[in-house]
Amino acid sequence: MDLDQPTVPLTGDVRMPLLGFGTWQATGEAGYDAVLAALDARYRHIDTATMYGNEKEVGRAIRESGLRREDLFITTKLPPDRVGRERQTIEASLAALDTDHVDLWLIHWPPSAPGDSIPVWREMLAARDENLTRAVGVSNYSVSQIDELIQATEETPAVNQIRWSPSLYDRQVHAAHRDRGVVLEGYSPFRTSDLSDPVLVRIAQAHDVSPAQVVLRWHIDHEIVVIPKSVTPDRIRVNADVFGFSLTAEEMRDIDALGRSG
């Protein structure tokens, strides 16, 4: 990475930027334009998924940005209905993204059939060992589902991407991931946040930023990866502008207290 943005270490020598750009529902030309705007706003971590149907547009935006591949962090995800077709799915993702590897490949949702998770996880590990992806992880998994994978394979998912925000903050869930060496990555940071909450408004005013920027900075100061999404260039830029301030320990505690077990 050529950029002075905070990162978190994954397995091996992989470093994941704590701020990423989410592309769920950003499809077609609008998706392409949004990713190009995000790269222009100095995001270097782009999150997509087979299920989003926009890998081709993401790949085109990356290619046309002129940025070097090694300065970007790209995540994609395996849909749960692709059990048994993992290898062809990652190959299709790489072709659409126009790259020979992704930085992180996630199981998007736990497979519905009991017992399917472990063989899928083994296929993810095989893809990593063949350098199709630099790291592998899961999304929407519970701690017990993660433990099942670790016990079966002695391989810990690098990341678990789950819905997360101040109002969903759960100290025990956060600690359980940290104890296992799994990086917590939060999606939909605004969808479940009340941006008019007096605590967020007060802290935003103290730093001369918006409540949305406070929510993003709260993730980053917890070393939780966050992937805000927007297709509006101005909002994309504002969401990336969260490195000029940080929250005090007291402010962090006040925001944590908005959650389930702050």
Side-chain angles (χ1 to χ4, degrees), residues 37-252:
L39 295 170
D40 189 54
R42 305 186 81 225
Y43 287 89
R44 293 297 179 263
H45 164 192
I46 306 293
D47 179 274
T48 183
T50 296
M51 205 184 269
Y52 299 168
N54 63 7
E55 288 172 319
K56 192 161 271 190
E57 287 77 15
V58 169
R60 181 158 65 97
I62 286 169
R63 192 168 61 248
E64 294 182 11
S65 72
L67 293 164
R68 298 184 309 171
R69 174 65 185 87
E70 59 265 34
D71 292 332
L72 296 171
F73 188 99
I74 304 171
T75 300
T76 193
K77 310 182 196 78
L78 174 88
D81 62 358
R82 297 294 179 96
V83 173
R85 292 180 289 156
E86 297 85 1
R87 178 63 184 246
Q88 75 189 68
T89 304
I90 183 96
E91 287 178 351
S93 288
L94 296 177
L97 289 162
D98 193 22
T99 184
D100 63 358
H101 71 281
V102 288
D103 298 282
L104 179 63
W105 193 31
L106 304 177
I107 304 174
H108 204 150
W109 290 89
S112 51
D116 269 355
S117 227
I118 291 162
V120 173
W121 182 234
R122 290 191 195 280
E123 289 296 326
M124 306 288 284
L125 295 168
R128 181 200 64 192
D129 293 344
E130 291 175 52
N131 299 316
L132 301 176
T133 179
R134 295 174 72 215
V136 286
V138 295
S139 182
N140 301 300
Y141 270 59
S142 66
V143 172
S144 63
Q145 287 170 323
I146 289 172
D147 284 343
E148 190 187 344
L149 300 183
I150 298 170
Q151 283 155 11
T153 63
E154 295 185 352
E155 290 266 16
T156 301
V159 171
N160 185 23
Q161 184 184 117
I162 58 177
R163 186 179 282 240
W164 197 257
S165 70
S167 64
L168 299 179
Y169 182 69
D170 186 318
R171 187 183 301 283
Q172 287 177 307
V173 170
H174 188 196
H177 283 77
R178 204 169 43 232
D179 292 348
R180 287 159 179 76
V182 179
V183 170
L184 192 59
E185 178 176 13
Y187 69 83
S188 297
F190 307 135
R191 189 173 279 248
T192 53
S193 290
D194 175 7
L195 296 177
S196 63
D197 187 286
V199 172
L200 296 178
V201 170
R202 167 175 58 79
I203 294 170
Q205 287 171 342
H207 293 278
D208 196 23
V209 296
S210 70
Q213 287 169 306
V214 168
V215 167
L216 296 177
R217 188 70 220 192
W218 170 81
H219 284 76
I220 290 164
D221 285 347
H222 265 313
E223 295 206 317
I224 293 169
V225 179
V226 63
I227 46 171
K229 69 181 189 64
S230 175
V231 293
T232 314
D234 283 349
R235 194 163 295 159
I236 289 169
R237 272 194 297 277
V238 168
N239 288 345
D241 186 17
V242 290
F243 300 113
F245 72 104
S246 60
L247 302 173
T248 67
E250 186 181 1
E251 288 168 339
M252 291 291 285

